[in-house]
Amino acid sequence: MKKDLNLMVAGPQGSGINFTSDTFAKVMARQGYYVYTNAELFSTIKGDHSYFRVRVSDQKIESYSERVDILIPLDAKSVIIHKGEVSDDGMIISEEKVDDKRFATISYRKILESVATKFNKNVSELNVMKNTVSLAAALKIVGIESKNLKDVITENFASRKIIAEMNNAVVDEVYNEFSFNKTFSLPPVEKKKRMLINSAEAVGMGKVLAGMKFQSYYPITPASDESNYLETLMDKYGFVVEQTEDEIAAINMAIAAANTGLRSSTSTSGPGFDLMVEALSYSGMTETPVVIFYYQRAGPSTGMPTRHEQGDLKFATTASHGEFPRVILTPGDNTEAFYDAVDSFNIAEHYQLPVIVLLDKSMAMSNTTTEVFDLSGVRIDRGKLVLNETSNYKRYKLTEDGISPRTVPGVKGGIFTIAGDEHEEDGHIFSEDPDNRIIMMNKRMGKMNLILKEIGENKKVKFYGKPENKKVILSWGSPKGAIKDALESFPDISFLQVRMIEPFPSEEVMKYLKGKYVIDIEQNYSGQLADLLREKTGIVVDSRILKFNGRPMAYEELMDAIKKAQTEKKVVLSYA
Amino acid sequence: MHNTYKTNVEIDWCPGCGDFGILNALTLALQDLRIPNENVVLTGGIGCSSKIPHYVNVYALHTLHGRSLVQGEAVKMANPELEVISVSGDGDGLGIGSAHLVAAGRRNLDMTYMIFDNGVYGLTKGQASPTLPYKENIKSLETENIKFPVNPIFLALASGYTFVARSYSYNIKHLKETIERAIRHKGMALIDIMQPCVTYNNINTKEFYDKRLYDLEASGWNPVVNKGDDPSVKISQAVQRSMEWGDKIPMGVFIQYERETYAERLSTLIHGYGTRNMVKEPIDQNGKPVANIQEVMESFF
């Protein structure tokens, strides 16, 4: 079993809980430990109860734990809500003396007063530094030298030196004053540089590498983090990030920019994607290479905007009127999200169609230590893009593979007409000829088989474990982390991760699932992938493990569920 | 001179439709301005008027209902070297696409937006559109129109359009000149074009407009705000002129002033925006990405 340490910071939204947990995570990651964080926050700016978890281990971890070793409660309510989760030999950092051996008392007031005096300040001005008191106490108990914390604080407040100095004085004071009768020691690790990132940042980096030049978005949780991150890079790399008047504008702008010759994308969540659907079918009809990053959250309607769910798989595969080809990729971690960001543009431009990449709230908001991306194999494929003068040009020219050369405005001799109405090779719409309709439907829809043929198995599915195992877990997207962590205790169960949902890789999936006891694991109410599997392959899963309470899976509850799923048809998880 | 801006696609508008005049005026204006065909992008939405991209020999985007302008804006942002003209019907631009009409004023891209304004949804058989006057009972309606009309000129002024004009599809000379002025104007230009629907609107006809439209500028109105002057004074006077509707309807330019274009504002955030051509800039070298993200990855250590 892995040795791990679990910290929880809980308190009112806006009280600095993310500063505390992020800094703890950063310090531990820099020591060379693996870190996974989970953010549970309320859809509000200030006030409501939120909590962040940080799991740390000497070995790779990809999910959070139910067990809390150190609790930092930033108000009394947090103690009441979370003390039950703290293990018997855990620690609760608190200002009050309580008759409970888990409570480690520290006088915030005394420490802050002492620092205030040194800096000739009123103690009330230092109230916000209570977070630093608890943070320093936690890190001291874990055996981390104060310098490591102070370095991160100094970087965080680089533009406000005096704030950094005061916080660091608080750290010194805590390290001198605070002691507890237990320590939480993790096995020593070698220092190794890893990124501490979430998938929104991974996607942002992937888009930059892919040469994305136009990103449009309308603010929505949890998708806008990606666009806001890209805004910090647009000057350096020379691309446009445009906040639009609504999601309809966002997708239409991305489509038009793509037809002007830029690699273009938009990012959104369920309610925003709803509004984009008409234009999605336009991009299919017009063979426009547009990329949509779709961060799912708990629906329907406004649902739970800051909570996790994988409820939109079926919707993404069928959204729109009419039939047209689309590709849907489903990354399950930061590294996959990064490479999918590059692939999505390559696929979109090569096959001239919309590509949707499905992520979710958990991926967008969980910071995970991630190895530096290996860029040696990354390639750009712009397909049949024509940027030089041409002649006798027809935008929808019939070709052997169904993909036509694509010019962009400004190219001499390449004038095109693009239309969402059914059109002929020249893009004009006035015949509505029934034979032409068949030809054009075949041209577009034929891309689906081409994609299944040309895209390699490693981009369609990933298989983990021994092929001879009789039981196989089936899943997609973010549950991957908890599944991998849980499966360490089940060497006789394998795991098939579906990486491309549309077109559905039936052949590869059947190869791994036929004749096996299949356990489907998803974060939704019905088991949408299991239903899709039956539709596409006829395979009926034997058991479904489902979670739809808005929180991602802890690996322990999943271990229990996997045990049950070997005899029960359905197991519903509820840990929060 | 041969008009090289028309395609030979068969036109499916009704005989006598006001759209023909607009097509002629637009292609004549392009001919006059000598903009190379391949440097022009024309976008349309959905409706009779929005089919016009098929009839003009330039890069053409026949988009979705209401999305002509927003797609046109994105084309201009993606490649500011292009001359972008978006067209809509009044239903397309002032009904389903009205959010984009307002937002476009806030951006002030250097482009032109033409609204073919006939008071009806022609392609769906003559339902009332957002500009049909209150209580009018044109022949295609079952009942009189019980909604108040929107005033496109007033709305454009309020939204920040830096060039706002009204013209008329049966006055090709005026319309052609207005289109040329709109294209030359550095900023977002809107032209509201009175365009009778011969099939469904038997009230706002050629006869109706011929006797009511008068030339605003010929009657003494100067729409131009001098450089350096606060445009708000003239805007409020223009608003007043925009309220004229009845026996006399003004046509011509209501306002023209200079304000930072969106490209200029983007260039303050994105170094070199507008001077480099993003479309021509290579993103790969023999298939390998040009962008170097090493530093960005290291920022997360």
Side-chain angles (χ1 to χ4, degrees):
Chain A
M1 222 36 218
K2 285 167 186 165
K3 279 277 273 181
D4 63 358
L5 172 88
N6 299 284
L7 174 91
M8 179 187 274
V9 186
Q13 180 95 331
S15 62
I17 40 181
N18 38 354
F19 163 79
T20 312
S21 58
D22 285 356
T23 309
F24 185 86
K26 190 90 183 173
V27 171
M28 297 309 286
R30 283 199 179 166
Q31 295 302 299
Y33 288 104
Y34 290 91
V35 171
Y36 180 91
T37 74
N38 157 244
E40 288 306 334
L41 35 101
F42 231 92
S43 183
T44 179
I45 294 173
K46 272 184 192 288
D48 287 292
H49 181 73
S50 296
Y51 50 100
F52 285 52
R53 296 181 173 96
V54 185
R55 185 174 175 215
V56 183
S57 175
D58 58 319
Q59 291 172 61
K60 191 166 178 178
I61 41 162
E62 296 173 76
S63 59
Y64 74 90
S65 167
E66 293 176 8
R67 195 186 78 238
V68 175
D69 300 304
I70 302 174
L71 174 66
I72 299 180
L74 297 177
D75 61 0
K77 188 175 166 188
S78 299
V79 178
I80 297 162
I81 295 176
H82 296 290
K83 72 176 179 195
E85 295 159 55
V86 180
S87 55
D88 289 343
D89 46 7
M91 174 173 91
I92 301 169
I93 299 173
S94 165
E95 176 132 49
E96 283 162 62
K97 277 200 161 82
V98 180
D99 186 21
D100 182 329
K101 66 179 170 50
R102 298 175 301 171
F103 276 77
T105 312
I106 182 163
S107 174
Y108 289 83
R109 203 181 156 76
K110 213 178 105 193
I111 286 164
L112 296 181
E113 270 174 358
S114 147
V115 174
T117 314
K118 265 185 214 156
F119 284 82
N120 202 13
K121 299 265 179 196
N122 192 315
V123 72
S124 65
E125 291 175 66
L126 273 72
N127 260 341
V128 285
M129 293 174 197
K130 271 186 163 181
N131 293 309
T132 310
V133 175
S134 343
L135 181 61
L139 281 164
K140 187 187 177 194
I141 293 305
V142 178
I144 303 297
E145 282 175 33
S146 63
K147 181 182 180 304
N148 299 304
L149 171 57
K150 288 194 284 186
D151 284 351
V152 174
I153 288 175
T154 305
E155 280 169 42
N156 269 347
F157 296 105
S159 57
R160 287 174 291 169
K161 273 215 163 77
I162 184 73
I163 304 283
E165 282 170 26
M166 283 159 67
N167 273 290
N168 285 340
V170 170
V171 173
D172 286 336
E173 200 82 12
V174 174
Y175 269 76
N176 291 335
E177 294 288 317
F178 178 67
S179 64
F180 190 50
N181 56 3
K182 270 192 291 259
T183 52
F184 299 84
S185 59
L186 283 160
V189 283
E190 258 182 62
K191 279 203 181 181
K192 185 175 181 206
K193 283 183 173 168
R194 294 190 187 90
M195 301 179 288
L196 183 62
I197 53 169
N198 56 44
S199 289
E201 289 156 344
V203 167
M205 285 186 265
K207 286 185 171 183
V208 170
L209 187 68
M212 187 272 300
K213 295 283 173 193
F214 191 93
Q215 163 104 351
S216 45
Y217 79 104
Y218 183 79
I220 189 166
T221 305
S224 18
D225 286 354
E226 182 210 303
S227 297
N228 295 148
Y229 173 56
L230 283 168
E231 281 166 351
T232 68
L233 301 175
M234 66 181 176
D235 186 27
K236 183 175 163 73
Y237 291 97
F239 57 80
V240 174
V241 180
E242 175 66 5
Q243 183 186 327
T244 58
E245 54 270 29
D246 54 34
E247 282 94 350
I248 296 173
I251 180 87
N252 275 281
M253 279 204 156
I255 287 169
N259 282 325
T260 310
L262 302 185
R263 286 199 150 184
S264 306
S265 58
T266 182
S267 291
T268 190
S269 184
F273 187 76
D274 290 350
L275 296 183
M276 295 184 176
V277 169
E278 187 194 19
L280 176 72
S281 91
Y282 177 85
S283 68
M285 181 59 139
T286 55
E287 306 190 40
T288 300
V290 70
V291 174
I292 302 162
F293 273 75
Y294 184 159
Y295 294 83
Q296 299 162 94
R297 67 189 212 193
S301 189
T302 311
M304 296 195 284
T306 57
R307 307 294 181 179
H308 175 58
E309 196 165 274
Q310 294 183 291
D312 305 346
L313 178 77
K314 279 192 175 174
F315 177 50
T317 59
T318 60
S320 88
H321 56 289
E323 294 161 289
F324 59 88
R326 74 185 85 188
V327 172
I328 301 177
L329 306 178
T330 50
D333 60 31
N334 291 339
T335 307
E336 290 174 355
F338 172 79
Y339 291 114
D340 280 5
V342 181
D343 287 343
S344 63
F345 289 98
N346 286 342
I347 294 170
E349 288 207 311
H350 186 97
Y351 298 100
Q352 298 181 16
L353 41 65
V355 176
I356 300 166
V357 184
L358 272 177
L359 300 99
D360 54 47
K361 178 261 164 180
S362 177
M363 293 176 75
M365 291 192 188
S366 290
N367 291 323
T368 315
T369 38
T370 306
E371 304 296 335
V372 167
F373 303 124
D374 174 11
L375 310 181
S376 60
V378 175
R379 291 289 179 277
I380 305 281
D381 173 9
R382 304 210 67 184
K384 297 182 184 178
L385 181 65
V386 180
L387 292 175
N388 297 319
E389 188 171 341
T390 182
S391 59
N392 297 322
Y393 181 71
K394 284 178 176 169
R395 173 65 187 91
Y396 300 105
K397 190 179 164 63
L398 297 171
T399 61
E400 208 158 299
D401 60 5
I403 301 160
S404 318
R406 188 167 76 91
T407 60
V408 299
V411 171
K412 230 178 169 164
I415 285 180
F416 63 51
T417 301
I418 284 176
D421 294 54
E422 186 59 275
H423 40 259
E424 304 193 347
E425 281 185 282
D426 59 8
H428 292 303
I429 63 171
F430 298 98
S431 82
E432 299 197 354
D433 179 71
D435 296 332
N436 176 66
R437 166 71 173 178
I438 292 172
I439 290 168
M440 284 298 168
M441 283 299 285
N442 286 337
K443 173 190 195 295
R444 290 187 296 266
M445 296 304 285
K447 294 176 187 177
M448 296 299 257
N449 275 335
L450 199 63
I451 288 163
L452 282 175
K453 211 170 73 189
E454 292 181 347
I455 290 184
E457 178 181 311
N458 62 334
K459 294 195 173 169
K460 295 174 184 161
V461 296
K462 263 193 196 170
F463 185 79
Y464 309 80
K466 288 179 286 201
E468 62 270 25
N469 281 341
K470 292 196 164 54
K471 293 170 188 149
V472 182
I473 282 170
L474 170 73
S475 190
W476 63 285
S478 64
K480 173 189 178 177
I483 292 169
K484 282 180 72 186
D485 283 351
L487 276 191
E488 286 179 13
S489 313
F490 300 91
D492 62 330
I493 301 178
S494 304
F495 168 34
L496 183 71
Q497 180 197 4
V498 183
R499 292 276 289 106
M500 185 172 88
I501 296 284
E502 182 75 14
F504 194 78
S506 302
E507 204 178 293
E508 291 81 1
V509 168
M510 281 167 85
K511 184 171 95 184
Y512 289 108
L513 296 186
K514 229 175 168 183
K516 305 286 186 183
Y517 185 89
V518 182
I519 303 168
D520 174 55
I521 300 181
E522 298 184 58
Q523 290 248 200
N524 55 48
Y525 178 83
S526 56
Q528 297 185 12
L529 177 60
D531 290 344
L532 193 64
L533 176 76
R534 185 171 188 178
E535 179 193 323
K536 300 287 185 181
T537 68
I539 295 174
V540 180
V541 303
D542 298 282
S543 182
R544 298 177 195 222
I545 299 174
L546 304 167
K547 187 169 185 180
F548 51 90
N549 67 350
R551 277 70 174 170
M553 295 172 188
Y555 77 94
E556 295 101 328
E557 64 170 341
L558 192 56
M559 281 168 59
D560 288 344
I562 291 169
K563 273 178 217 149
K564 286 184 192 155
Q566 304 192 34
T567 52
E568 292 170 30
K569 282 185 99 61
K570 184 172 164 184
V571 186
V572 175
L573 306 183
S574 60
Y575 191 76
Chain B
M1 196 165 72
H2 175 65
N3 187 332
T4 58
Y5 288 88
K6 279 193 180 171
T7 61
N8 51 12
V9 174
E10 199 182 312
I11 297 174
D12 72 349
W13 291 325
C14 304
C17 174
D19 287 345
F20 285 102
I22 305 175
L23 174 62
N24 285 334
L26 173 62
T27 53
L28 287 171
L30 291 171
Q31 190 97 342
D32 257 13
L33 294 169
R34 296 167 201 269
I35 308 169
N37 300 54
E38 67 271 11
N39 288 351
V40 180
V41 177
L42 181 61
T43 74
I46 294 294
C48 296
S49 58
S50 286
K51 288 180 178 173
I52 197 170
H54 292 275
Y55 311 138
V56 184
N57 184 27
V58 297
Y59 277 95
L61 295 174
H62 187 181
T63 74
L64 289 164
H65 197 22
R67 315 305 162 206
S68 172
L69 176 57
V70 73
Q71 287 213 19
E73 286 181 278
V75 171
K76 187 70 188 180
M77 286 168 69
N79 186 352
E81 290 172 16
L82 299 168
E83 189 60 58
V84 181
I85 301 163
S86 293
V87 308
S88 281
D90 43 314
D92 198 86
L94 296 156
I96 191 168
S98 54
H100 310 310
L101 190 144
V102 173
R106 297 179 55 215
R107 293 194 183 93
N108 193 36
L109 283 149
D110 181 12
M111 60 178 284
T112 303
Y113 186 34
M114 295 161 56
I115 296 182
F116 296 24
D117 188 349
N118 63 6
V120 293
Y121 286 87
L123 211 49
T124 48
K125 301 199 188 315
Q127 296 86 351
S129 89
T131 54
L132 188 70
Y134 179 47
K135 285 194 170 172
E136 269 194 11
N137 194 356
I138 53 174
K139 68 180 178 187
S140 58
L141 297 183
E142 305 298 332
T143 64
E144 64 175 27
N145 176 33
I146 59 163
K147 290 200 187 78
F148 303 133
V150 67
N151 180 334
I153 304 290
F154 194 167
L155 184 59
L157 289 166
S159 302
Y161 284 69
T162 49
F163 178 103
V164 181
R166 178 182 286 132
S167 190
Y168 179 38
S169 68
Y170 288 110
N171 188 338
I172 291 181
K173 184 170 176 291
H174 185 271
L175 179 54
K176 186 195 103 180
E177 281 166 10
T178 308
I179 292 171
E180 287 182 21
R181 287 168 70 184
I183 290 175
R184 277 199 215 101
H185 169 70
K186 192 179 138 202
M188 188 76 212
L190 177 138
I191 312 172
D192 183 30
I193 305 166
M194 301 297 104
Q195 174 251 322
C197 173
V198 292
T199 303
Y200 296 114
N201 189 333
N202 57 329
I203 295 177
N204 308 108
T205 59
K206 182 170 186 297
E207 292 68 37
F208 174 91
Y209 285 119
D210 277 348
K211 63 177 180 222
R212 286 175 174 82
L213 286 169
Y214 74 94
D215 190 330
L216 179 67
E217 291 164 278
S219 72
W221 170 253
N222 172 16
V224 181
V225 178
N226 292 324
K227 244 189 163 155
D229 283 2
D230 178 3
S232 61
V233 179
K234 188 147 265 177
I235 291 171
S236 49
Q237 291 164 354
V239 165
Q240 214 157 17
R241 300 307 296 259
S242 80
M243 304 298 278
E244 290 178 29
W245 187 274
D247 291 344
K248 288 280 164 209
I249 300 172
M251 71 174 194
V253 180
F254 285 77
I255 197 88
Q256 181 170 10
Y257 60 99
E258 274 200 29
R259 213 176 168 189
E260 305 93 315
T261 63
Y262 203 48
E264 286 163 352
R265 281 174 280 156
L266 279 173
S267 72
T268 66
L269 301 180
I270 307 155
H271 183 76
Y273 174 84
T275 57
R276 297 176 293 106
N277 185 317
M278 292 192 292
V279 176
K280 289 182 187 154
E281 232 169 39
I283 59 170
D284 70 294
Q285 228 168 15
N286 302 320
K288 284 201 155 199
V290 167
N292 181 350
I293 62 163
Q294 200 59 37
E295 215 176 284
V296 179
M297 290 196 290
E298 285 169 14
S299 71
F300 291 102
F301 285 163

